[in-house]
Amino acid sequence: MAGKVKWVTDIEKSVLINNFEKREWIQVTENDDWNFYWMSIQTIRNVFSVDTGYRLSDDQMVNHFPNHYELTRKDLMIKNIKRYRKELEKEGSPLAEKDENGKYIYLDFVPVTFMLPADYNLFVEEFRKNPSSTWIMKPCGKAQGKGIFLINKLSQIKKWSKDTAYVISLYIDNPLLIGGKKFDLRLYVLVTTYRPLKCYMYKLGFCRFCTVKYTPSTSELDNMFVHLTNVAIQKHGDDYNHVHGGKWTVSNLRLYLESTRGKEVTSRLFDQIHWIVVQSLKAVAPVMNNDKHCFECYGYDIIIDDKLKPWLIEVNASPSLTSSTANDRILKYNLINDTLNIVTPNGDIPDCRWNRSPPREAMGNYQVLYDEEQAQSENAERDLRSRSGQPLGSKGIKGSAGVRPAVATWK
């Protein structure tokens, strides 16, 4: 395709700009004709707003879906997951199966959560069932650990302003510890279309560690260096290490778990993590505005408890592109590079009718996590074979992410 891509960004990060310049793309302003706009979530609101928004042309692409907040706002993510479970239950789907205690067997991957102030009475009822439990309160629309606090008494909720929407979740007080410290996983997931769903997992995620050893002691409830893994918080700690930034690669975590817990258990854990990601995307797919000019790279935050059960904590629409260490800079540069290789094949001017099935060599460190179109065609083929009495074979789905509960049901 003739001509160079004209790019704009309102996020002045070197990992972005270096990638655009490497491709010899041309920088323009937002008032010029542009092809590719890497924008903040504030700007995306304006682009798609009813009053101030404008119609994107076929050769323009942006890095957020218009209503990404259905997944990335803490309260809306929970609301959509709860709705998804209920719909599956109504359909009689085996995915919505519950155990004898009424807990979902396959869909219990977010901590018990309520919206405040709307669900205050429901929360109080739940709190009184387990009065010794700890809960974590988070403002719905904030990031980087801002405004978060822990409570273990109803009276402590007075810290919360009634003007602000909060989510309150049962705190995972038995996290898996390494070296006595709590950590979470930051995983990058690229979505190129929601209907049909097509998503990729980036292989180079990392763990973020707290700087202070974990204790469930109530005397440390206010010590965020014990409880919150956000780098924005931990970098202010006395024990923060500026060389490794309190980070560990996912591949190191995998090796550590394989050697301490065994390969099979570790593989099952990562299958469950992939499963959580796919189910969370399926939960929001029906309400997502699947605009053909959009793609999105999400930052998933997962916590693993001491029983090796993963929990989805939240999803970020603008995962930080700030580099806290040299390795961090390399990882984020490569993340943007691999993302651009998928969404702008060969660095050409975008075409919103692009083929969303890049060749394997263009994917870099991404791998297909779930391809709904492919899964549906394989289901159809499987049904056809079973009807005609042919052997089904063992053909699997790309990135099947831990098929459960039976081969064909979760696709």
Side-chain angles (χ1 to χ4, degrees):
M1 208 182 258
K4 297 269 187 202
V5 173
K6 294 172 185 156
W7 64 273
V8 191
T9 186
D10 58 358
I11 302 172
E12 294 294 316
K13 296 292 178 191
S14 60
V15 293
L16 278 176
I17 293 162
N18 292 347
N19 264 299
F20 299 150
E21 288 176 347
K22 178 184 88 165
R23 289 167 170 74
E24 298 182 351
W25 289 0
I26 298 159
Q27 183 171 13
V28 295
T29 71
E30 61 184 72
N31 298 320
D32 297 318
D33 285 338
W34 52 265
N35 306 114
F36 191 91
Y37 197 153
W38 192 289
M39 57 180 69
S40 66
I41 51 177
Q42 289 75 24
T43 306
I44 198 79
R45 276 192 209 119
N46 301 333
V47 168
F48 287 104
S49 109
V50 177
D51 304 322
T52 59
Y54 46 90
R55 203 173 189 79
L56 295 179
S57 57
D58 283 355
D59 63 354
Q60 290 183 304
M61 187 168 277
V62 295
N63 63 312
H64 293 292
F65 286 92
N67 58 337
H68 62 83
Y69 44 79
E70 294 285 353
L71 177 66
T72 59
R73 245 186 83 113
K74 300 172 184 75
D75 53 341
L76 295 178
M77 178 188 86
I78 294 292
K79 188 184 99 179
N80 284 314
I81 288 171
K82 285 180 178 177
R83 192 205 66 248
Y84 176 62
R85 288 167 170 168
K86 284 203 178 86
E87 283 171 0
L88 287 175
E89 224 172 315
K90 220 157 129 190
E91 290 165 15
S93 166
L95 292 187
E97 199 183 324
K98 292 180 175 176
D99 65 15
E100 62 278 7
N101 300 316
K103 272 193 170 176
Y104 289 99
I105 297 173
Y106 306 110
L107 298 173
D108 178 36
F109 56 78
V110 286
V112 175
T113 299
F114 299 96
M115 317 309 160
L116 294 182
D119 297 339
Y120 180 75
N121 292 335
L122 289 171
F123 159 67
V124 170
E125 198 181 310
E126 188 67 30
F127 183 91
R128 289 190 170 135
K129 285 182 198 167
N130 295 292
S132 59
S133 53
T134 299
W135 294 75
I136 184 165
M137 284 192 69
K138 302 177 181 182
C140 291
K142 291 190 178 169
Q144 299 186 317
K146 292 187 188 91
I148 294 178
F149 58 95
L150 275 63
I151 68 148
N152 62 350
K153 294 188 182 76
L154 283 176
S155 58
Q156 292 163 319
I157 291 191
K158 63 176 179 283
K159 285 188 187 180
W160 144 66
S161 149
K162 283 198 161 50
D163 303 330
T164 309
Y166 273 84
V167 293
I168 187 160
S169 302
L170 191 60
Y171 184 59
I172 309 293
D173 61 2
N174 61 327
L176 176 67
L177 305 177
I178 296 179
K181 291 175 181 174
K182 178 182 171 178
F183 67 95
D184 75 351
L185 285 181
R186 162 53 61 88
L187 301 171
Y188 297 104
V189 176
L190 173 66
V191 176
T192 52
T193 165
Y194 272 98
R195 292 188 299 280
L197 179 60
K198 179 83 179 269
C199 56
Y200 304 79
M201 173 70 77
Y202 200 62
K203 289 184 256 183
L204 307 181
F206 53 86
C207 310
R208 304 178 297 186
F209 281 83
C210 288
T211 51
V212 176
K213 287 198 171 181
Y214 180 77
T215 169
S217 162
T218 52
S219 64
E220 292 289 354
L221 279 193
D222 290 335
N223 187 344
M224 293 301 121
F225 297 124
V226 170
H227 297 287
L228 297 188
T229 57
N230 311 67
V231 174
I233 299 230
Q234 294 296 332
K235 68 183 180 186
H236 300 295
D238 295 340
D239 299 316
Y240 182 72
N241 182 309
H242 290 272
V243 178
H244 57 63
K247 290 179 179 172
W248 218 30
T249 63
V250 164
S251 52
N252 274 346
L253 172 68
R254 194 161 193 149
L255 286 171
Y256 170 81
L257 290 174
E258 284 176 353
S259 61
T260 55
R261 301 291 188 105
K263 278 197 169 182
E264 196 181 322
V265 173
T266 303
S267 289
R268 197 180 312 130
L269 165 68
F270 279 90
D271 278 350
Q272 287 173 338
I273 290 170
H274 293 165
W275 159 263
I276 286 173
V277 171
V278 172
Q279 295 307 310
S280 66
L281 293 171
K282 284 188 160 199
V284 299
V287 294
M288 199 60 80
N289 179 345
N290 189 43
D291 193 289
K292 61 187 179 180
H293 303 93
C294 306
F295 67 92
E296 198 145 27
C297 179
Y298 298 106
Y300 268 73
D301 293 345
I302 305 274
I303 280 184
I304 302 165
D305 69 21
D306 59 9
K307 297 182 179 70
L308 288 201
K309 176 178 170 66
W311 296 91
L312 173 58
I313 302 303
E314 63 185 62
V315 183
N316 296 273
S318 288
S320 168
L321 295 177
T322 304
S323 309
S324 51
T325 67
N327 283 344
D328 214 24
R329 190 170 300 112
I330 294 163
L331 181 148
K332 286 170 182 174
Y333 175 85
N334 288 332
L335 170 71
I336 300 299
N337 182 50
D338 292 348
T339 301
L340 294 178
N341 284 343
I342 289 177
V343 301
T344 56
N346 307 314
D348 290 337
I349 287 175
D351 179 350
C352 69
R353 296 158 301 185
W354 59 297
N355 172 11
R356 284 163 164 79
S357 297
R360 180 69 203 90
E361 60 275 12
M363 284 167 33
N365 286 299
Y366 276 113
Q367 60 191 42
V368 176
L369 182 58
Y370 186 70
D371 182 339
E372 190 169 22
E373 217 165 20
Q374 185 185 337
Q376 284 170 346
S377 69
E378 286 182 5
N379 263 350
E381 189 185 332
R382 191 178 281 113
D383 289 347
L384 199 63
R385 284 182 179 190
S386 64
R387 277 194 214 111
S388 60
Q390 291 178 39
L392 296 180
S394 58
K395 197 178 172 191
I397 334 168
K398 235 177 214 173
S400 62
V403 176
R404 52 166 80 194
V407 177
T409 49
W410 78 277
K411 297 175 193 173

